[in-house]
Amino acid sequence: MFRRMGNTVVRHPVWTIVAWLIAAVAIVATAPSLPSSSDESSFLPRSYESIKAADLQQEAFPSAFTPSAIALYKRTDGGKLTAADQRDVARITSELQKKKIDQVQKVVPGEPSKDGKYALTLVQMDSKNAGQPKQADAAQVLRDDVKELSKGTNLDVKLGGSAAQALDQQESSKRGEALIGIGTFVIILVTLLIIFRAPILAILPLILIGLVSAIANGLIAFATKLFDLQANSSISSILIVVLFGVGTDYFLFLIFRYRERLRLGDEPKQAMVNAVDRVGEAIASAAGAVIIAFFALVLSTLGFLKQMGPALAIAVAVTLVAGLTLIPAVVSLIGPKVFWPSKSWRKEPENARFAALGRGVQRRPALTAALSGLVLVVLSLGTLGYHATFDLASGSMPKTKESMVVQDEMQKAYSAGAAAPTDVYLSSTDGQRLDESALAPYAEKLGAVDGVANARLTQVNKEGTTADFTVTLKYEASTDKAIDAVSRVRDVAHDNAPERTEALVGGMSSIYKDIDTAVNHDYRTVFPVAAALIMIILGLLLRSVVAPWYLIASVGLGFSATLGATVWIFQTWQGHPGLMFMLPVIMYLFVVAIGTDYNILMIARLREEARAGREPREAAGMALRHAGPTVAAAGFILAATFATMMLAGNSLLTEMGFAVSFGIAIAAFVMAMFFTPSLTALIGHAAWWPGHGDRAEEPRADAGPGGSGAAPAPGGGVPTGAHDPAERHG
């Protein structure tokens, strides 16, 4: 199949390129804009208690006041607010109400702080558009207006709240995307120049993957709209890295093999056909593992991950098709001039470093497996200290952003939970009016819960069937203490609800509690499903039952080592209270799925060496000698491109960038180079049971000049049949 595909694109390169260009123009011109939401509650399905509470609030108290933006006032000299200052606050609040800003429904004064140094203006917006870009736009108007209205006063005013956080998150995301894009571009360009010393080869993947990126983003936008998926601004940053990182990997897999076929004497076009034939299965299998793992995210209960999974799967699928069609077409059209001005492509270098590493694995596979395994186990110990944090807004932008400053100052000036109080809704189950005499004692029980600052009855709906109790926690909404406290509030609210009533607990801490539950569900569901599907891919590729087990186990060990190292770096060393709650799921899929690429490349090359008649240990050594340079180059570029996410300046992408880049480095430089080949050498022929994947086969008639004497198999390095007799023993 891959030979036929290679023949087709090499015979018709111009038409292949034209087809891609037409597809790009058509998709980009017609694709809808990608929506974005920063509302954490939109990530959860409607079956969770916090979402049920929000729905009940909309039904029972449609005009209830829930601030989307908060203007925080203090004197410029830090002193107590004077009577004149308070009049200025009242005037600004009144003027804001009169402006009739889009999305703004009500503007009211808030309570002053107990120390008299702070005052508030609370702004309610249309709850139907919570977290959407139009509310971020409204926040920008509000921010400009309050600063304009406060000119000439002694007041310093800042705008916070969820709408302002969405605005700051949006701006931070744009800056982060620009930095990530520039960093990715520079890393790929410089690394490819060092590897090939050929400017065309350095620039070509950036141009081609840029075209692929436009198509992938358009298809993702279509899918997001068609299936009504949630989107988040962080996805765009991740997409940049995935497309350019994975795309460059597949480009390298193909170009390394193309260069090797040219060195063997193949005519240029035939060299590309043979390269696609040889490496096509490796690229397809590697991409298949990644696509399937990403699609496993549709099993997640979180809307963010549900959208990210298909989006990344679409991106990798488009990159796969480009790797097997667009890249071969363009390179075959240019021919060997693609390597200009370097002449090193004409002759194979000694590769002494990888030859020495290969000999080391060949001589001492047990020691190699033990040492590389020990490194992974030691790093894995860090997972014992893992804690999760749930504040997606502050995790997605620097602490210096205005909305984050407001959040921090409000925690100091008011009760830490005042900015995002918890609401308990008590409703009759039979449609009868609530017993009003039971409401005050119920509020007292809620107020007595450990971690609650105060609880009070706020309102009862006009039918008298639902009561709203505002519960202010002692802790900021996203902290572990607040989540533990809201769990206790739930227990007390449920257990003490009067007969024929039902209690639902809402608010941000309740949402975070449900997100915690949802993530734990995903750990139990997404992880094993993704692992099982990747094992099936490995089994089909290798025609083995044994190999997939230790391959997926080694990648799983790489995941735990990566999580452990991330915990030590960010929690132990930098003092973070925890890692972003979604990080382990994302890291698992990136490290397990993409890390499997290098295992696939190495194990496929090892099988190719074994088919040439080599014994398991010698095959492992030769596989490292010839596939090692490809794995090293691809692993370095992919790890470095993910590391550019650390330039974004927020904790979510910094943690994600470090974790995934470290995981890729572990996968390439520890697992694929040492752990996997040494284990395969130790297991020997049994690794391929029940098939005979390592048995020698007859030479192929269509192998071309210097063709391999083995059946086509994926992998990097020089085709097995091309080795001279002296090279057979390294």
Side-chain angles (χ1 to χ4, degrees):
M1 179 181 78
F2 295 106
R3 174 166 287 274
R4 288 196 301 272
M5 185 181 299
N7 269 317
T8 301
V9 299
V10 169
R11 275 202 304 265
H12 308 288
V14 175
W15 286 113
T16 303
I17 296 167
V18 168
W20 272 91
L21 290 173
I22 291 172
V25 171
I27 291 171
V28 171
T30 58
S33 60
L34 189 66
S36 179
S37 174
S38 59
D39 179 16
E40 285 90 340
S41 65
S42 67
F43 297 166
L44 290 167
R46 312 226 71 80
S47 58
Y48 281 86
E49 181 171 349
S50 59
I51 308 304
K52 288 181 179 179
D55 290 342
L56 176 60
Q57 184 253 319
Q58 288 292 316
E59 179 185 338
F61 307 104
S63 60
F65 190 91
T66 304
S68 299
I70 301 171
L72 179 68
Y73 305 87
K74 67 177 181 180
R75 281 184 60 86
T76 53
D77 60 8
K80 288 188 177 182
L81 296 175
T82 65
D85 295 330
Q86 292 169 353
R87 286 194 296 272
D88 285 330
V89 170
R91 175 183 57 80
I92 294 170
T93 302
S94 176
E95 290 292 330
L96 286 177
Q97 178 65 55
K98 292 176 183 177
K99 283 181 176 290
K100 305 295 183 186
I101 299 169
D102 180 48
Q103 295 296 307
V104 173
Q105 296 177 329
K106 192 182 296 184
V107 182
V108 300
E111 293 183 6
S113 62
K114 291 181 180 179
D115 61 9
K117 293 183 177 182
Y118 292 88
L120 302 174
T121 292
L122 307 178
V123 182
Q124 178 177 283
M125 296 187 187
D126 187 352
S127 60
K128 295 177 183 177
N129 296 318
Q132 297 303 318
K134 59 179 68 177
Q135 293 206 349
D137 295 341
Q140 182 64 67
V141 175
L142 281 166
R143 183 170 284 171
D144 293 340
D145 285 348
V146 294
K147 292 186 186 304
E148 182 65 30
L149 291 169
S150 65
K151 283 183 178 179
T153 71
N154 294 316
L155 296 173
D156 174 40
V157 57
K158 291 183 173 65
L159 191 76
S162 60
Q165 287 176 355
L167 172 65
D168 290 341
Q169 187 179 27
Q170 193 178 85
E171 293 175 351
S172 179
S173 176
K174 288 178 182 177
R175 174 183 174 275
E177 280 181 39
L179 289 172
I180 289 169
I182 293 168
T184 299
F185 186 92
V186 170
I187 285 169
I188 293 175
L189 184 67
V190 172
T191 306
L192 291 179
L193 276 172
I194 293 171
I195 292 172
F196 294 108
R197 299 177 180 84
I200 297 175
L201 271 181
I203 296 170
L204 191 59
L206 296 170
I207 296 172
L208 297 181
I209 298 167
L211 177 65
V212 171
S213 175
I215 294 174
N217 275 294
L219 293 176
I220 290 166
F222 277 121
T224 300
K225 185 175 182 180
L226 181 64
F227 297 105
D228 193 27
L229 300 171
Q230 294 294 334
N232 183 274
S233 53
S234 297
I235 290 178
S236 299
S237 302
I238 298 169
L239 275 175
I240 293 171
V241 177
V242 169
L243 283 163
F244 280 89
V246 174
T248 305
D249 262 13
Y250 299 161
F251 179 84
L252 285 173
F253 290 1
L254 187 70
I255 293 299
F256 268 98
R257 186 59 79 124
Y258 173 62
R259 184 178 67 179
E260 289 153 4
R261 295 305 306 184
L262 289 173
R263 286 172 175 167
L264 291 171
D266 283 6
E267 181 271 329
K269 289 191 179 295
Q270 187 60 42
M272 181 54 72
V273 173
N274 287 337
V276 174
D277 180 31
R278 288 267 171 190
V279 84
E281 189 179 3
I283 293 175
S285 299
V290 178
I291 291 167
I292 285 177
F294 286 160
F295 262 122
L297 283 176
V298 300
L299 300 174
S300 171
T301 51
L302 294 173
F304 171 75
L305 295 178
K306 273 181 178 290
Q307 194 274 344
M308 189 176 73
L312 296 179
I314 290 169
V316 175
V318 176
T319 307
L320 165 63
V321 177
L324 298 178
T325 59
L326 179 62
I327 293 173
V330 173
V331 175
S332 66
L333 196 62
I334 300 172
K337 291 179 182 177
V338 77
F339 297 104
W340 178 88
S342 172
K343 293 183 173 58
S344 62
W345 65 271
R346 299 175 187 272
K347 182 181 179 182
E348 181 186 359
E350 291 298 321
N351 279 333
R353 187 179 298 107
F354 289 97
L357 291 175
R359 287 193 296 271
V361 170
Q362 180 177 335
R363 292 195 196 105
R364 300 181 183 84
L367 179 63
T368 303
L371 288 177
S372 54
L374 181 63
V375 169
L376 299 175
V377 170
V378 169
L379 289 174
S380 298
L381 296 176
T383 59
L384 300 175
Y386 169 73
H387 291 289
T389 59
F390 297 89
D391 188 357
L392 189 61
S394 62
S396 300
M397 68 187 103
K399 291 291 186 182
T400 53
K401 284 291 186 181
E402 186 170 327
S403 59
M404 292 296 97
V405 173
V406 170
Q407 179 174 291
D408 291 342
E409 289 191 350
M410 283 194 65
Q411 288 180 38
K412 297 171 186 174
Y414 297 82
S415 171
T422 295
D423 285 287
V424 177
Y425 299 101
L426 187 67
S427 299
S428 65
T429 55
D430 57 5
Q432 299 298 313
R433 295 182 67 87
L434 295 170
D435 179 4
E436 294 185 7
S437 64
L439 300 183
Y442 187 71
E444 288 180 11
K445 290 177 181 177
L446 293 175
V449 174
D450 183 27
V452 171
N454 61 74
R456 57 191 175 86
L457 175 63
T458 308
Q459 57 187 327
V460 178
N461 68 340
K462 60 182 180 181
E463 293 84 7
T465 55
T466 302
D468 175 12
F469 298 84
T470 298
V471 178
T472 303
L473 303 179
K474 295 178 180 178
Y475 318 108
E476 194 275 320
S478 64
T479 61
D480 288 343
K481 289 182 177 180
I483 293 169
D484 291 341
V486 87
S487 182
R488 294 190 290 271
V489 169
R490 281 185 175 182
D491 290 340
V492 171
H494 297 160
D495 294 344
N496 292 279
E499 288 187 18
R500 296 187 297 279
T501 64
E502 177 188 37
L504 292 173
V505 180
M508 289 310 304
S509 294
S510 185
I511 289 171
Y512 292 135
K513 171 64 179 175
D514 286 342
I515 288 177
D516 187 27
T517 303
V519 169
N520 288 331
H521 165 271
D522 291 349
Y523 291 162
R524 296 190 300 269
T525 306
V526 177
F527 281 23
V529 168
L533 292 174
I534 292 173
M535 283 183 65
I536 291 172
I537 290 283
L538 291 170
L540 293 173
L541 169 67
L542 303 174
R543 285 79 169 173
S544 166
V545 171
V546 176
W549 284 99
Y550 69 82
L551 288 176
I552 201 69
S554 71
V555 176
L557 187 59
F559 160 76
S560 60
T562 303
L563 180 58
T566 307
V567 168
W568 273 334
I569 291 291
F570 289 97
Q571 290 186 202
T572 306
W573 183 29
Q574 295 193 3
H576 289 199
L579 303 179
M580 196 55 60
F581 68 91
M582 66 182 73
L583 184 64
V585 175
I586 294 171
M587 192 177 71
Y588 175 84
L589 292 167
F590 277 107
V591 174
V592 171
I594 298 179
T596 302
D597 284 10
Y598 306 122
N599 265 348
I600 286 175
L601 193 69
M602 186 62 73
I603 200 73
R605 177 68 201 208
L606 195 153
R607 179 182 65 177
E608 190 175 337
E609 297 292 345
R611 283 179 167 179
R614 291 184 170 84
E615 287 303 307
R617 292 192 179 198
E618 186 185 4
M622 294 302 291
L624 178 54
R625 173 178 180 173
H626 294 293
T630 310
V631 170
F636 173 79
I637 288 178
L638 190 60
T641 51
F642 272 106
T644 61
M645 294 170 69
M646 298 173 69
L647 300 173
N650 66 68
S651 59
L652 171 60
L653 291 180
T654 298
E655 291 173 4
M656 194 182 300
F658 171 82
V660 178
S661 61
F662 186 85
I664 294 298
I666 286 287
F669 296 101
V670 178
M671 290 188 298
M673 283 198 188
F674 299 107
F675 198 58
T676 295
S678 58
L679 275 182
T680 306
L682 287 172
I683 296 172
H685 295 291
W688 308 98
W689 184 87
H692 304 288
D694 61 337
R695 298 292 176 86
E697 296 188 7
E698 292 300 317
R700 288 178 42 157
D702 62 348
S708 174
V718 178
T720 306
H723 302 161
D724 59 40
E727 191 184 57
R728 286 178 60 86
H729 299 288

